[in-house]
Amino acid sequence: MTIAPAATASSILDAAQQIMQAVGYNGLSFRDVATAVGIKSASVHYHFPTKGHLAAAVARRYTDRLVAHFDAIDQKRPDPRAALAAYVATIRATLEQDGKMCLCGMLAAETDAVPPEVKAEVRRFIDLNVTWIATMLGRAASAPTDGDVMRDHAMALFAALEGAMMIARGAGDVSRFDAMSMQFGRIGLWPQ
């Protein structure tokens, strides 16, 4: 039975994402991806000529899925505080269910080791997160607030959540993420 090229490429991306979320870019190997998919390493190279191409494609798909998730949150939760709570719950689920870090958080930690096309995707991921969070914070504000201030607050919140994820994973204790995220609930950013 032959797997269709699009299905093979998707399976390669799935396997590469799992590996990178666990061990980062430096831990990614075509051999490990091929083994996980059940194909030869040359087949991985056929779809993604270099490790940089593969990692960038994984990060691009990860970010595209995030944008779709933002759209779903916006449609289901018009209240910005509830939307922010759903966003945090999604981050927590990645940590709790998969025991993994945010893919782009892992790649950002390795910024000196990743090629330019991967850095560009990581920047895009960060920018989209910060922009969305800033929009939600702006909607939740009781009075009009300067956009730069909202963006700074959003960057701080995003950095805190990424850091909380890293600390919880390192400690092997999701309750550390919960303790951090509850601080934002206490100051009214989302329902507790």
Side-chain angles (χ1 to χ4, degrees), residues 18-183:
Q18 288 296 313
I19 292 167
M20 287 193 298
Q21 281 186 275
V23 297
Y25 179 80
N26 284 321
L28 179 66
S29 80
F30 275 43
R31 184 175 19 99
D32 291 342
V33 171
T35 299
V37 176
I39 58 176
K40 294 183 180 192
S41 186
S43 295
V44 178
H45 283 281
Y46 170 79
H47 291 280
F48 304 98
T50 68
K51 185 174 169 177
H53 286 106
L54 175 57
V58 171
R60 186 176 315 107
R61 184 182 73 161
Y62 189 80
T63 302
D64 290 346
R65 287 177 173 174
L66 171 76
V67 170
H69 185 66
F70 284 158
D71 290 344
I73 289 174
D74 289 344
Q75 289 176 4
K76 290 180 186 174
R77 294 179 177 81
D79 172 31
R81 287 178 178 83
L84 285 166
Y87 172 75
V88 172
T90 300
I91 295 170
R92 186 187 192 283
T94 298
L95 179 64
E96 182 179 44
Q97 294 168 2
D98 303 331
K100 304 241 185 310
M101 285 290 299
C102 161
L103 173 71
C104 289
M106 289 288 284
L107 294 171
E110 296 181 289
T111 195
D112 291 339
V114 300
E117 62 269 26
V118 177
K119 287 179 187 177
E121 290 301 328
V122 170
R123 282 188 207 107
R124 178 175 162 247
F125 177 84
I126 292 168
D127 288 343
L128 286 168
N129 271 275
V130 171
T131 298
W132 186 84
I133 294 169
T135 300
M136 294 302 112
L137 292 175
R139 288 182 191 165
S142 57
T145 306
D146 179 83
D148 288 340
V149 171
M150 284 295 109
R151 190 155 178 80
D152 290 346
H153 289 316
M155 182 63 78
L157 177 57
F158 179 64
L161 292 170
E162 286 283 333
M165 190 177 217
M166 181 176 60
I167 289 167
R169 183 172 184 239
D173 183 2
V174 176
S175 72
R176 295 195 184 192
F177 179 87
D178 296 337
M180 174 67 205
S181 63
M182 280 196 296
Q183 298 308 311

